[in-house]
Amino acid sequence: MKLKLYLVTGNKHKYEEAKRIFNDTDIDLLMAPLGKFEIQSDDLKAIAWKAALHAYKILRTPIVVDDSGIFIDALNGFPGVYSSYVFRTLGNNGILKLMTGIKNRRACFKTSLAVIVPPLDTIIEDEVCGEIAEKPVGTLGFGFDPIFIPEGEKRTFAQMDIDEKNRYSHRARAFRRLVKWLRDNFML
Ligand code: ITT
């Protein structure tokens, strides 16, 4: 029988990206019928963990929460845990303005997954580093995808389809490790 694992998110793109990672596994990733409860914290892990606990108390079913953000070196890690708010308020053009004249364009996307599959739980973290583009390019994906170029590429995430983005992304790396954790611990 397939394990049903619920991703708690209001972001359908995240679900679509994560879902691909579970193709050809005995795990069925579903979107939880519940929004993500978000605490304020300067730690992605803590945000993901509290959201997972909150969802688990209500749904009592295997749960995963993905909390992600982009950390820009020259801005001392900003927007980081505030990525969602900053995307809504400043957007990609606002970030590019902050980066005007800055040579060091290095940035990393980070993901923390908080996972509860009784009787076990875990936190899985991963990241992808690259550069902030000079201008937004591409129409695919979501959020900061048009301004992020992963290491080893010339294209932004927004120029890649889901399978291509998943070759590099923070989320795909973390979810691949989650598949391994589930296989190792639940013999799936
Ligand atoms: P949920 O919290 O409901 O899961 P969200 O979109 O608010 O959805 P996060 O708080 O984890 O998710 O992400 C913060 C922001 O970081 C998000 O709104 C995006 O703008 C950005 N972000 C995260 N992952 C991204 C990705 O793969 N590509 C581009 N931007 C991303």
Side-chain angles (χ1 to χ4, degrees):
M1 228 191 44
K2 281 202 161 196
L3 171 78
K4 284 190 166 53
L5 178 65
Y6 287 86
L7 176 64
V8 183
T9 181
N11 183 336
K12 212 154 182 268
H13 296 279
K14 267 190 187 178
Y15 172 70
E16 279 161 9
E17 291 177 12
K19 175 91 180 145
R20 300 280 173 112
I21 309 292
F22 293 90
N23 283 349
D24 307 320
T25 71
D26 279 328
I27 304 145
D28 203 4
L29 188 74
L30 302 161
M31 225 165 143
L34 182 81
K36 180 168 152 201
F37 168 81
E38 286 214 31
I39 59 157
Q40 294 252 325
S41 167
D42 58 7
D43 181 10
L44 290 179
K45 284 197 293 298
I47 299 170
W49 178 245
K50 283 283 160 44
L53 270 185
H54 176 263
Y56 183 73
K57 281 186 188 153
I58 295 169
L59 298 174
R60 300 278 167 194
T61 186
I63 289 291
V64 55
V65 172
D66 161 330
D67 205 67
S68 301
I70 192 165
F71 295 72
I72 301 176
D73 276 17
L75 305 179
N76 295 325
F78 183 83
V81 294
Y82 307 108
S83 291
S84 174
Y85 179 74
V86 169
F87 183 74
R88 276 183 279 123
T89 51
L90 299 181
N92 285 325
N93 288 325
I95 293 286
L96 291 178
K97 262 198 197 135
L98 292 177
M99 297 290 290
T100 306
I102 295 180
K103 286 225 171 64
N104 172 14
R105 306 194 67 91
R106 187 177 163 84
C108 300
F109 265 120
K110 301 187 184 195
T111 291
S112 282
L113 299 182
V115 186
I116 303 178
V117 184
L120 303 181
D121 57 67
T122 190
I123 300 272
I124 295 173
E125 297 192 281
D126 223 313
E127 64 177 27
V128 58
C129 294
E131 292 202 337
I132 300 296
E134 296 289 341
K135 56 181 187 350
V137 188
T139 53
L140 303 171
F142 68 99
F144 300 108
D145 282 345
I147 60 164
F148 182 79
I149 303 171
E151 240 161 49
E153 264 289 339
K154 290 200 161 54
R155 296 171 304 159
T156 66
F157 271 166
Q159 293 174 283
M160 301 182 188
D161 64 25
I162 291 181
D163 289 328
E164 286 179 297
K165 179 178 171 185
N166 276 355
R167 270 191 233 143
Y168 301 98
S169 88
H170 49 311
R171 175 163 306 104
R173 295 170 66 103
F175 272 96
R176 279 195 285 270
R177 286 174 48 203
L178 172 57
V179 169
K180 182 174 184 320
W181 182 83
L182 290 167
R183 283 188 167 141
D184 290 350
N185 288 288
F186 295 91
M187 320 285 168
L188 289 163

